[in-house]
Amino acid sequence: MRLLLIGDVVGKPGRQIVVRSLPRLKVAEQLDFVVANAENVAGGSGLTPELFHELLAAGVDCVTMGDHIYRRREIFSILERDERIVRPANYPGEAPGRPFAVLRAKSHIQVAVVNLLGRIFMSPVDCPLQAADRVLASLPAGVRVILVDYHAEATSDKQIMGRYLDGRVSAVLGTHTHVATADEQILPHGTAFQCDVGMTGPHESIIGRRIDRVLETTRTFRPTHFEVASGDCRLHGSIVDVDPETGRATAIRRIAIGQADADRLAGL
Ligand SMILES: [Fe+2]
Ligand SMILES: [Fe+2]
């Protein structure tokens, strides 16, 4: 079976390229299950119920989040009652949202989705390795296909998680840095791995934000509004092929969909 993780969807440009490209991309690539990291969907920070449903309508099966998960309070009701969204599993048990999701892919195979936060250059959270162990121990028997979105800053942190979970999950794919890394691989025990699948949003930017604003604040310390940029929107993500019998990955491939590809997929 074939899974896609779409990297951090940023603001309206990110949403638009997902909505325009994903329906036909699913057909063209024969995707069984699509996960999108949606922590930056609402104006660049957080997610709202309306935008959550817009992503689902475009063909996203499950949404993962990250450090910006609670920026928009409107999402709390969705986090508490909808099974198609997960919060970082290493947040406290009392935090709104579910630590994992088990959903059915198009092919009716069960897929578990897990979101974890890193601890290097990020706010303090519980140990992501122990949280991963807890989630794996509580998954229903028979769930073999497991996708972990490791939302972390440092490549070292991500490699640690990849090696820790190698052979126990189908994929450990990174998000959060908004820059795709060229290290996609199948680890020795069958886990697909990549430090970061990249950003879905405006690439004429500094990780999705207006270049002039970020530069001004960096140079002068004068606060500015880090508005979402608009130029050169691209969809970045990675496709993983998994043997549903064993849960092991057999292939991983990066995808980058630019404006011309998006136009083609939208049938323009
Ligand atoms: Fe992000
Ligand atoms: Fe993040």
Side-chain angles (χ1 to χ4, degrees):
M1 70 180 304
R2 185 165 273 185
L3 318 173
L4 165 66
L5 174 63
I6 298 174
D8 299 50
V9 179
V10 176
K12 195 172 183 180
R15 284 178 343 246
Q16 282 176 335
I17 198 164
V18 171
V19 167
R20 293 181 72 226
S21 313
L22 188 56
R24 294 219 183 150
L25 185 68
K26 280 182 93 162
V27 177
E29 291 283 4
Q30 298 180 300
L31 301 173
D32 294 297
F33 195 79
V34 178
V35 179
N37 185 291
E39 69 148 9
N40 301 113
V41 160
S45 222
L47 179 65
T48 63
E50 186 194 346
L51 300 178
F52 170 68
H53 287 115
E54 190 177 316
L55 291 175
L56 296 184
V60 171
D61 297 296
C62 186
V63 159
T64 53
M65 298 293 286
D67 48 313
H68 294 306
I69 180 168
Y70 300 137
R71 288 293 174 100
R72 298 292 293 263
R73 300 180 61 86
E74 306 95 293
I75 201 64
F76 284 21
S77 59
I78 296 284
L79 280 165
E80 267 152 15
R81 65 161 197 266
D82 203 301
E83 293 180 343
R84 297 166 293 182
I85 182 167
V86 291
R87 66 154 164 82
N90 48 340
Y91 272 176
E94 293 76 15
R98 297 158 199 258
F100 63 86
V102 177
L103 300 164
R104 294 222 177 246
K106 202 177 69 182
S107 41
H108 299 291
I109 295 157
Q110 287 187 302
V111 181
V113 179
V114 188
N115 192 193
L116 293 161
L117 277 182
R119 297 194 292 184
I120 297 174
F121 302 132
M122 299 183 83
S123 298
V125 281
D126 288 349
C127 175
L129 305 177
Q130 290 177 2
D133 287 339
R134 280 196 299 274
V135 168
L136 294 183
S138 50
L139 287 180
V143 176
R144 292 187 185 87
V145 181
I146 305 164
L147 172 68
V148 175
D149 168 355
Y150 191 31
H151 197 80
E153 188 76 53
T155 47
S156 54
D157 213 8
K158 300 194 192 194
Q159 290 190 350
I160 289 166
M161 182 63 76
R163 295 293 172 168
Y164 188 65
L165 294 180
D166 184 20
R168 298 200 282 157
V169 304
S170 309
V172 174
L173 302 178
T175 56
H176 177 70
T177 71
H178 294 202
V179 177
T181 54
D183 62 335
E184 71 276 17
Q185 63 197 284
I186 308 293
L187 297 176
H189 302 290
T191 295
F193 176 79
Q194 186 183 356
C195 277
D196 207 295
V197 303
M199 174 183 74
T200 297
H203 280 253
E204 184 57 21
S205 72
I206 292 174
I207 64 168
R209 308 298 176 140
R210 269 178 54 168
I211 298 163
D212 57 339
R213 299 278 174 85
V214 177
L215 280 181
E216 187 188 336
T217 296
T218 306
R219 283 192 312 109
T220 66
F221 276 29
R222 205 178 295 151
T224 58
H225 173 47
F226 285 0
E227 209 179 319
V228 171
S230 55
D232 188 15
C233 193
R234 297 183 220 164
L235 184 156
H236 279 179
S238 285
I239 290 175
V240 177
D241 291 341
V242 180
D243 177 347
E245 298 294 315
T246 61
R248 289 180 176 218
T250 54
I252 175 168
R253 172 163 52 94
R254 274 183 281 149
I255 58 164
I257 293 172
Q259 215 51 59
D261 308 305
D263 288 346
R264 210 164 32 245
L265 285 163
L268 298 177

